[in-house]
Amino acid sequence: MIAFPIDLRSDTVTLPSPAMRAAIAAAPVGDDQFGEDPSMNQLQERVAALLGKEAALWLPSGTMANQIALRVLTRPGDDVIVSRECHAVWHETGGSAANAGVQLTEIGARGIFSVEEFLAARKPQGHLLFPPTTLVEIENTHNRAGGVIFPQEEVERICAAAREHTVASFLDGARLWNVAVASGRALDDLAAPFDLVGVALSKGLGAPGGSLLAGSRDLIVRAVRYRRMFGGAMRQVGLFAAAGLYALDHNIDRLADDHANARLIGTRLAQSARILLDLTTVQTNILVFRLATGAPDAATVVARARERGVLIFAFGPRTVRAVTHLDVTTEQCERAADILVECVEAD
Ligand SMILES: *Cc1c(COP(=O)(O)O)cnc(C)c1O
């Protein structure tokens, strides 16, 4: 018996498991603003070590992590170079402009860009007219491009070129865990080129909330101030930290299952002439596909799928996203793929 609904809208829909809830219930806690929450201190130290950075700071959301990274690394009026259709441009309700006062310059295609494209887009500092480029931001994996991995050799070249031009670097690694599992690279290798790195506990790792920013002690001290300014400084956050610690212990290696399930769905979808899906983009747990001419539009496909118990997300008029995660089984994914194809192929 396959359980419905099969919720492929996002890996954020994952629920804390009974074992994670038990860890939350048992967590020692204290007032985190006095630095007295032992569970949070442990989580922050552990994530800093995992990412090879001096310090890490927990934040209620990944959006706040991204916004604080901008505050720490830029000044109002600065130019920030980002990948096309990145989270900062599409999913933060304009926060970069409102909170940090920066302009975002999108470059590249399909979630990635080259060092040459970065250098061509960079505006020099101290120019009479140009907004100074002071930060480059890379999103890895890239959500809207379909969970693709940014090639690490290019990351290293871009961050080296940035440093040469006193441009800071930030990694939006909300799903960096997926990169590590899919590529076999260590988290600290992936994070090494960057000044600041953000990671999320609330996506595929299955925690109820929380992201962390990691970097040098100096940068994290500054991030602490902005967390307070943004209203994100909380108290007994060890309850969240316990979920995060549990997730790090139990939910990283299993991301390989999510990747295999996404591959399975993608392979099935790509067989339909009405679905445009480049299977080379299905590298982790996200599928973004387009509906060919003649196929129903995204809203219709989403509505039809919902009626049959499969939840997906319209990313554009003819673009759909599906995401695999720890709360969907391989059998559910097989069934969902068949249902999706039927929804697209029905007239
Ligand atoms: C989810 C996500 C974030 C953070 O989102 P929140 O919902 O605020 O936790 C940041 N960047 C990327 C690429 C994401 O997918």
Side-chain angles (χ1 to χ4, degrees), residues 17 155 172 184 274 327:
S17 63
V155 167
D172 177 358
R274 286 188 159 189
D327 286 343

Side-chain angles (χ1 to χ4, degrees), residues 198-286:
V199 290
L201 302 168
S202 57
K203 303 273 167 83
L205 291 200
S211 280
L212 291 103
L213 266 185
S216 68
R217 205 165 298 286
D218 175 49
L219 292 180
I220 295 304
V221 165
R222 288 163 59 194
V224 170
R225 178 187 174 208
Y226 289 116
R227 179 174 71 173
R228 177 79 186 171
M229 191 186 287
F230 284 21
M234 293 164 67
R235 303 296 176 173
Q236 283 75 30
V237 282
L239 300 177
F240 281 102
L245 289 164
Y246 180 91
L248 295 177
D249 284 334
H250 297 96
N251 291 348
I252 296 182
D253 292 344
R254 62 150 308 287
L255 292 171
D257 301 343
D258 300 344
H259 300 171
N261 285 337
R263 191 88 206 154
L264 180 155
I265 295 173
T267 306
R268 177 77 186 87
L269 296 184
Q271 288 165 5
S272 168
R274 286 188 159 189
I275 292 177
L276 306 173
L277 170 62
D278 177 359
L279 277 177
T280 65
T281 67
V282 187
Q283 299 169 10
T284 56
N285 68 325
I286 300 179

Side-chain angles (χ1 to χ4, degrees), residues 12 61-64 66 87 92 139 141 143 172 174-175 202-203 211:
T12 59
S61 75
T63 297
M64 193 184 287
N66 285 2
H87 196 274
E92 298 179 18
E139 183 175 317
T141 64
N143 175 23
D172 177 358
R175 295 189 181 83
S202 57
K203 303 273 167 83
S211 280

Side-chain angles (χ1 to χ4, degrees), residues 12-17 20-21 206 326-327:
T12 59
V13 302
T14 45
L15 300 178
S17 63
M20 183 181 278
R21 285 171 178 269
L326 58 77
D327 286 343

Side-chain angles (χ1 to χ4, degrees), residues 82-98:
V82 300
S83 55
R84 211 165 292 286
E85 290 203 37
C86 68
H87 196 274
V89 169
W90 276 79
H91 294 201
E92 298 179 18
T93 74
S96 310

